[in-house]
Amino acid sequence: MIRLLPKPIVRNKEDQIEFRWKTFWWLLVVFVLAAIANIPHSRAVKELTSQAIDLEKQSIFQSIIGNAGAALIIGSLFIWMGLWISARAKLGAPLLVKILSGKSFSDSFNRNTILASALIGSLVGFLMLLMLKVQKYVLPMGPANFKHPSAIPNLFASFSAGITEEIIFRLGIMSLVITVIQYLIKTKTPSYKTIWIGNLLTALFFGFIHIPISGNYYDLTPIVIGTTVLGNVITGTTFGWIFWRYGLIMAMLAHFIFDVVFHVIGTPFG
């Protein structure tokens, strides 16, 4: 099956170093815009929960300033972590670097790679929907405390999460974990085993960090916590594998497509 997929992207270490600052600023701008794009979803969640009173006290303008300010700090930290501190992992954002180095879109982006990343994201999305459907009969999570936002806010959230979470978890945390492992075992190039350990550890953390989000809709019973962690470990591992094989932008694409399938088309919490 792996042999049928496009070949992994070739990373140019010299170009990644030369265009590091340009890469940083481009990613930071995109990160801030994606954080702002999540405002319709976050406000929709507050309208449906006990936080509705907080919404009345905050205007759209205040939300934009707040999200943008937080994103500048968080984005700067994790982008810097991925491009400088974790340079030893040799992951970075290779497709963006190719564009910044002057190559055309067709030279930088392989159509088969785009299609493969989008297809994997959609397949995992439908798989998660199927697993959730089966679980409702085997290990039901109980009634939801609140409704899930409608399709449009979820679409904004899908775009936002596809960018911000991949920068934080894959570019930032996964790269850092791999770099730490490399340091501990004293190796310059990450092995296949090191990549997968870093990917799995990051995906596990990715799962735990989503538990409070599930708590917006369900009581945090062992079944809800287990479902949340397992589902996000599966998806996080998938995005991490795409990040390693095809680069950050393709991981963002797969994540976005997954979220559209799962949260917009599926609306499992609705």
Side-chain angles (χ1 to χ4, degrees), residues 35-92:
I36 293 173
N38 191 53
I39 290 174
H41 180 265
S42 62
R43 292 178 72 88
V45 170
K46 287 181 179 180
E47 287 178 353
L48 295 169
T49 67
S50 57
Q51 301 176 56
I53 190 172
D54 296 333
L55 190 59
E56 298 175 0
K57 300 176 182 178
Q58 189 176 54
S59 66
I60 291 290
F61 179 74
Q62 289 174 317
S63 296
I64 292 174
I65 296 300
N67 279 34
L72 278 171
I73 298 171
I74 296 171
S76 296
L77 173 63
F78 285 99
I79 296 168
W80 174 66
M81 185 185 297
L83 299 182
W84 274 272
I85 294 181
S86 307
R88 192 172 182 175
K90 300 179 181 178
L91 293 171

Side-chain angles (χ1 to χ4, degrees), residues 7 12 22 47 97 99 120 124 129 159 186 195 199 240 258 260 263:
K7 293 181 180 179
N12 187 310
K22 284 187 176 181
E47 287 178 353
V97 168
I99 291 291
I120 292 170
V124 174
L129 286 174
F159 172 77
K186 296 180 173 56
I195 293 289
N199 188 11
F258 166 82
V260 168
H263 293 293

Side-chain angles (χ1 to χ4, degrees), residues 9 94-96 98-114 250:
I9 188 173
L95 292 176
L96 179 56
K98 285 187 176 184
I99 291 291
L100 294 175
S101 66
K103 292 183 173 61
S104 66
F105 184 89
S106 58
D107 289 335
S108 303
F109 291 84
N110 181 287
R111 182 176 64 180
N112 291 334
T113 300
I114 295 173
M250 291 301 104

Side-chain angles (χ1 to χ4, degrees), residues 69-236:
L72 278 171
I73 298 171
I74 296 171
S76 296
L77 173 63
F78 285 99
I79 296 168
W80 174 66
M81 185 185 297
L83 299 182
W84 274 272
I85 294 181
S86 307
R88 192 172 182 175
K90 300 179 181 178
L91 293 171
L95 292 176
L96 179 56
V97 168
K98 285 187 176 184
I99 291 291
L100 294 175
S101 66
K103 292 183 173 61
S104 66
F105 184 89
S106 58
D107 289 335
S108 303
F109 291 84
N110 181 287
R111 182 176 64 180
N112 291 334
T113 300
I114 295 173
L115 291 175
S117 301
L119 179 61
I120 292 170
S122 61
L123 287 176
V124 174
F126 284 114
L127 174 63
M128 290 294 103
L129 286 174
L130 178 62
M131 290 176 63
L132 193 64
K133 197 73 174 178
V134 171
Q135 186 203 351
K136 286 183 178 179
Y137 293 99
V138 180
L139 293 170
M141 293 188 291
N145 296 325
F146 304 101
K147 289 184 178 180
H148 199 267
S150 60
I152 297 302
N154 283 342
L155 184 61
F156 279 97
S158 299
F159 172 77
S160 177
I163 292 173
T164 58
E165 290 186 356
E166 289 312 299
I167 287 176
I168 291 172
F169 289 96
R170 256 54 70 176
L171 177 63
I173 297 175
M174 179 176 165
S175 298
L176 179 63
V177 172
I178 290 171
T179 298
V180 170
I181 295 173
Q182 286 179 260
Y183 176 79
L184 293 175
I185 63 177
K186 296 180 173 56
T187 179
K188 292 183 178 180
T189 302
S191 65
Y192 187 81
K193 181 179 179 180
T194 299
I195 293 289
W196 270 105
I197 292 174
N199 188 11
L200 289 169
L201 288 176
T202 303
L204 187 62
F205 181 64
F206 185 65
F208 281 113
I209 211 73
H210 277 79
I211 292 175
I213 299 176
S214 293
N216 284 328
Y217 308 100
Y218 291 92
D219 293 332
L220 290 178
T221 63
I223 293 176
V224 171
I225 292 173
T227 299
T228 300
V229 173
L230 177 61
N232 282 285
V233 165
I234 293 172
T235 55

Side-chain angles (χ1 to χ4, degrees), residues 20-30 76 79:
R20 187 178 280 165
W21 273 110
K22 284 187 176 181
T23 305
F24 173 88
W25 290 115
W26 272 100
L27 288 177
L28 183 59
V29 168
V30 172
S76 296
I79 296 168

